[in-house]
Amino acid sequence: MDRPEEVMIMSSEGLSSSDAERLRAFERQGHDALARSYYEFFAAVTTLATEPLLDAVRLQPDANLLDVASGPGALAAEAANRGARAVGVDLSPRMVELAHQLHPAIEYREADVEHLPFLDHMFDAVVCAFGLGHFPQPELAVAECVRTLAPGGRIAFAWWDDPARQRIQGLFREAIAEIGVTLPKDVPQGHNVFRFSDSDEFLRLLRGAGLTAVAVTGHAASFFVPDTETLWRGGLGSLVLTGAVIRHQDHATQDLIRTAFERRAKVYKSAHGLTLPIAFKIGSGQRST
C-alpha cells in the first residue's frame, strides 16, 4: 500500500495548471464542509499566531491591513481591534459567511489568493495565518499578495513547523503512515504541504518575491484538549486533507488508524487531559520603497 508520507509529500516543483485547479477545488470544498467544526476546534490553535503575525508587520493604528485565507476571521478582527482598517479574504464561501456572522463589523470577501480583488499598493500590511501550504502555486500567491502591498509595507505568513514538533497534525499523519493506506482519487497528489516547514525554503520563497529584510522565526506553544476523543473528532473536523484520507478508508482500517493515533497521543496525557506541543514559523519581509 502507498504510505501517505510518501504520496502527499513529494518534490517542491510546481503543480501543473490542471492539478493546481484540482487542489484549489479540493481546498474550497473541504473548508466549506468543515467551516463550523474547524472554528469550534482548530481556530483556537491558529490564533496562537495572531500576536506574532501582527508584530511581524509592525501594525500601526489606522493601517490598511489585508488578511489572506482569513478563515473564521479572528486575525482581521484583532487587527481592527488595534485600530487597523482590516479586510479579510478566503477561498471558501462558508468560511467567509462564518466570518461575517462572527465579526459583522469587518469586511470579508470570497477570493482566490492568486487573483485578489484589490488595486496595486492598497495595503500597508498583509498577513496570512496558515494558508501558505494550502496554496497550489505559492510563488504566484505570494507575488499577488506583494502586488497589493504599498512600498515600504510589510508582509508576514505563518506556517506549521515539522510534524515532529507540531503534534496535532503529527499524531494523525504518523498513525496513517504506520497503517499504510491508499488515497482517495479526489485527493490531489504531488503537493508538498511541508515545504515551508523548512526555513530555507520559506526564506527562498520570500526573497524570490523581491522582498527585503526577510526573516523566518520559530515559535513554540502548547494546546490542551481534555481527552483523545476530543482530539480525534476535532482533527477530523478541521484537517481537510488528513480527514479526507481517514474517511476514505473502510471501518476496519479507520479503527487501526485510531488505535495507532491513541497510542501516540498517550505520550502527552496527564491526569487532566492532553497537552500537545504546537510549533510554527513566521516568515516576513518588506516591500522595497
Side-chain angles (χ1 to χ4, degrees):
M1 294 185 187
D2 293 326
R3 289 188 178 274
E5 294 296 334
E6 296 168 356
V7 175
M8 289 191 279
I9 306 173
M10 300 177 69
S11 73
S12 61
E13 296 180 2
L15 298 175
S16 67
S17 58
S18 60
D19 283 343
E21 188 51 46
R22 283 184 64 231
L23 179 57
R24 190 174 293 108
F26 175 82
E27 292 283 355
R28 181 188 294 110
Q29 293 164 8
H31 284 93
D32 270 355
L34 300 181
R36 176 60 65 171
S37 56
Y38 178 103
Y39 165 67
E40 291 173 348
F41 177 76
F42 207 61
V45 182
T46 59
T47 53
L48 293 169
T50 295
E51 191 84 21
L53 281 167
L54 296 181
D55 287 347
V57 296
R58 301 174 188 172
L59 185 66
Q60 300 294 316
D62 296 326
N64 292 314
L65 176 137
L66 173 62
D67 177 14
V68 176
S70 52
L75 180 54
E78 177 57 26
N81 288 340
R82 300 186 185 196
R85 292 181 292 272
V87 58
V89 296
D90 200 280
L91 183 66
S92 162
R94 294 295 185 190
M95 284 290 192
V96 172
E97 179 183 344
L98 178 59
H100 277 300
Q101 292 171 3
L102 295 169
H103 311 286
I106 309 297
E107 178 184 2
Y108 298 96
R109 300 191 197 181
E110 181 186 342
D112 177 8
V113 65
E114 293 178 21
H115 304 282
L116 294 172
F118 304 110
L119 299 175
D120 294 356
H121 307 163
M122 189 169 175
F123 297 100
D124 304 302
V126 176
V127 291
C128 178
F130 305 108
L132 191 57
H134 297 284
F135 300 153
Q137 301 177 101
E139 285 81 5
L140 293 179
V142 173
E144 177 69 349
C145 290
V146 172
R147 178 189 66 78
T148 71
L149 192 60
R154 296 187 63 83
I155 187 169
F157 298 86
W159 189 245
W160 304 112
D161 206 329
D162 187 276
R165 293 180 289 277
Q166 167 53 20
R167 296 309 291 149
I168 294 181
Q169 289 94 325
L171 290 172
F172 279 95
R173 288 179 173 271
E174 289 164 12
I176 291 170
E178 176 184 327
I179 303 307
V181 300
T182 54
L183 293 179
K185 291 181 180 179
D186 63 341
V187 172
Q189 300 181 24
H191 180 64
N192 185 351
V193 297
F194 296 125
R195 177 183 171 191
F196 303 111
S197 302
D198 183 306
S199 294
D200 289 338
E201 279 293 311
F202 210 157
L203 287 167
R204 190 175 297 116
L205 176 73
L206 299 173
R207 289 172 178 148
L211 296 167
T212 62
V214 298
V216 172
T217 58
H219 297 264
S222 61
F223 185 70
F224 176 81
V225 293
D227 48 49
T228 55
E229 175 69 15
T230 300
L231 181 58
W232 176 259
R233 291 188 178 277
L236 289 182
S238 304
L239 307 174
V240 171
L241 177 56
T242 299
V245 171
I246 294 174
R247 285 187 291 271
H248 176 69
Q249 311 309 316
D250 59 37
H251 289 303
T253 303
Q254 289 187 33
D255 288 344
L256 289 172
I257 295 170
R258 173 74 181 261
T259 299
F261 166 85
E262 290 189 344
R263 188 178 69 252
R264 285 173 164 77
K266 286 180 181 178
V267 173
Y268 305 102
K269 195 171 183 180
S270 68
H272 305 290
L274 288 80
T275 302
L276 299 162
I278 304 295
F280 58 90
K281 298 186 177 186
I282 302 288
S284 63
Q286 185 173 27
R287 180 165 184 164
S288 58
T289 56

